[in-house]
Amino acid sequence: MNLAAVYWPRITLFLRELDQGLLLSTIAIATIGLVMISSASISFAEHSLGDGFYFLKRQVLYMTMGLVVAALFLYMPSRFWYHNAVPLLVVTIILLVAVLIPGIGRRVNGAQRWIPLGPINLQISEVAKFMMILFMASYLERYQRELRERWQSIIRPVLLLIGVAGLLLLEPDFGSMVVVCGTVLAMLFIGGAKLWLFSGLLLTGIAGIASMALISPYRLERLVTFLDPWAHQYDSGYQLTQSLIAFGRGEWFGVGLGNSIQKLFFLPEAHTDFVFSIYAEEFGLIGVAVVLGLYSLLVSRIVHVARKAVRQEDWFAAYSCFGIAIVLAGQAFINIGVTSGLLPTKGLTLPFISYGGSSLLVCCAMVALVLRISREMDDVQAVAKQVRRDRAEL
């Protein structure tokens, strides 16, 4: 039996039933990511590892694994994650503790954030972002009325957030901590937390983050460098100034794919945190506008799915989509802001574009969950229309 002939029509039909704007924008961004990882890493990989396509091959492997993870999330009903959000978060917290234990967690450049798992090093902070979204979505569905009427109901998620943020700081992973805190606070606000309470939490969080930045010599140096990188261009401002040079060389249309100069050992982390700088150099302002448009389409489609879930009063689905939109938009904004000199340097990946297995797997899972929710909402809507049609005929 020709399995392709049997299953391919079913697969294509299934794909056509998904949100096309979300699916195509994701594919486009991920494709740009593969191209840019190949371009940005080829010289470094050839010099360091003797294989110019080493990082591209690994990213293709991560992408394949990401498709498997996405298939799982497309197959499982969204309510499965609602019922299992708490145990999944408990497992994630255990892993956040385990990664700090010498011999279990892997230490790279002074940070202990990874657990080796065969071909990939799992970055637990990436998983924590997603699990916190699922937990908060399930919590808000259960207690949204309480949250709007009794301010005490906000204590439990805030205490949990403080614990998770503390574990992330111990790694340390300041960037992920900021993303997790911002996402949870935004979800609490969307869920109906009182404005005075949300404002107090927000101001407290900003003050806490500012205090941690100011009392840490390393983070304070980054802040000072960000304000005037050219004053430290051969020291702490080297990475940012090289990134700005890449942006400047790109001009309107870029220098062309593969023609970047900054990737030739001038710009550190050219295929990871600063891959967007190489993209801006090779494709210019027009290329940057294209990527920004794709991210805008991606986030707007996720918000559209969230609004459909709100209309059907599926609150877990709605809050999950809102949380995912906040994380993807926030990380894209921070990464692009850092590489363009708008924000202080912070090690956050650019979703679907930066090199890295953990980030790619989690992003695939997030988008797949939104696609599953969108299909479920469409199915419910179709059933409701059929019921109304049958009643009209009667």
Side-chain angles (χ1 to χ4, degrees):
M1 179 184 293
N2 190 343
L3 295 179
V6 174
Y7 288 103
W8 182 248
R10 300 181 186 178
I11 294 173
T12 54
L13 177 62
F14 176 78
L15 292 176
R16 283 198 297 269
E17 292 175 347
L18 299 177
D19 187 300
Q20 295 301 299
L22 177 56
L23 181 63
L24 293 177
S25 60
T26 302
I27 293 173
I29 295 171
T31 302
I32 291 173
L34 288 176
V35 172
M36 289 315 303
I37 287 169
S38 175
S39 176
S41 68
I42 188 167
S43 299
F44 174 76
E46 180 67 35
H47 179 267
S48 303
L49 304 166
D51 181 2
F53 297 103
Y54 173 83
F55 292 105
L56 175 63
K57 292 174 183 176
R58 289 184 65 84
Q59 191 73 358
V60 170
L61 172 63
Y62 298 149
M63 183 66 72
T64 304
M65 296 171 65
L67 291 175
V68 174
V69 171
L72 172 65
F73 276 81
L74 283 170
Y75 174 76
M76 299 297 293
S78 61
R79 301 305 292 181
F80 171 84
W81 308 107
Y82 168 78
H83 293 298
N84 292 278
V86 174
L88 286 171
L89 182 61
V90 171
V91 172
T92 302
I93 292 174
I94 293 172
L95 291 175
L96 284 173
V97 174
V99 78
L100 300 173
I101 301 174
I104 297 179
R106 184 184 178 201
R107 195 171 189 86
V108 178
N109 295 330
Q112 194 157 325
R113 306 173 184 172
W114 298 268
I115 293 180
L117 293 176
I120 71 168
N121 293 312
L122 184 63
Q123 189 171 347
I124 307 303
S125 57
E126 294 290 339
V127 180
K129 296 172 189 174
F130 192 21
M131 293 304 107
M132 283 297 290
I133 290 173
L134 295 180
F135 170 79
M136 286 304 304
S138 65
Y139 181 87
L140 290 171
E141 176 168 308
R142 292 186 179 99
Y143 299 104
Q144 61 177 334
R145 178 174 294 180
E146 229 180 286
L147 186 66
R148 293 170 182 173
E149 296 175 354
R150 299 177 63 250
W151 67 269
Q152 292 89 345
S153 59
I154 206 172
I155 294 176
R156 282 171 287 181
V158 168
L159 289 177
L160 176 65
L161 176 61
I162 292 172
V164 171
L167 290 172
L168 291 174
L169 281 176
L170 290 174
E171 294 183 0
D173 193 344
F174 188 71
S176 292
M177 187 273 291
V178 171
V179 171
V180 169
C181 290
T183 302
V184 170
L185 291 178
M187 291 180 70
L188 285 171
F189 179 71
I190 294 171
K194 295 183 181 298
L195 182 59
W196 66 268
L197 186 57
F198 170 77
S199 300
L201 288 173
L202 182 62
L203 292 174
T204 302
I206 293 174
I209 292 172
S211 299
M212 284 184 285
L214 292 174
I215 63 176
S216 169
Y218 170 70
R219 296 191 183 105
L220 181 59
E221 183 182 26
R222 279 191 167 188
L223 182 60
V224 172
T225 300
F226 152 73
L227 295 174
D228 187 8
W230 299 102
H232 311 271
Q233 59 179 308
Y234 298 112
D235 188 17
S236 56
Y238 178 79
Q239 192 173 34
L240 180 54
T241 55
Q242 295 303 314
S243 178
L244 293 175
I245 290 171
F247 271 84
R249 292 193 74 248
E251 297 184 352
W252 283 94
F253 298 100
V255 297
L257 178 62
N259 294 326
S260 166
I261 298 298
Q262 295 307 109
K263 70 183 181 184
L264 302 178
F265 309 102
F266 290 102
L267 178 61
E269 310 294 340
H271 60 292
T272 56
D273 297 344
F274 280 79
V275 68
F276 193 73
S277 303
I278 306 302
Y279 175 81
E281 183 181 3
E282 295 188 346
F283 290 94
L285 179 62
I286 302 302
V288 168
V290 170
V291 167
L292 292 178
L294 288 171
Y295 275 120
S296 298
L297 176 60
L298 174 72
V299 174
S300 66
R301 294 309 303 174
I302 296 174
V303 173
H304 174 72
V305 175
R307 293 176 65 185
K308 286 198 297 185
V310 169
R311 286 194 293 270
Q312 297 182 22
E313 297 186 357
D314 188 337
W315 301 113
F316 172 76
Y319 292 130
S320 295
C321 290
F322 280 127
I324 290 170
I326 292 166
V327 164
L328 293 179
Q331 283 207 192
F333 174 77
I334 292 173
N335 182 278
I336 294 172
V338 166
T339 56
S340 61
L342 180 65
L343 298 172
T345 303
K346 187 48 56 195
L348 283 174
T349 57
L350 185 58
F352 293 108
I353 293 183
S354 292
Y355 172 79
S358 301
S359 174
L360 186 58
L361 292 178
V362 171
C363 287
C364 287
M366 287 181 177
V367 171
L369 176 59
V370 178
L371 289 170
R372 172 71 194 198
I373 290 171
S374 177
R375 190 182 178 199
E376 290 176 353
M377 297 301 104
D378 291 340
D379 289 344
V380 170
Q381 192 173 11
V383 170
K385 286 182 178 179
Q386 185 62 45
V387 169
R388 288 195 298 269
R389 198 177 299 121
D390 293 343
R391 287 177 179 176
E393 291 176 358
L394 292 175

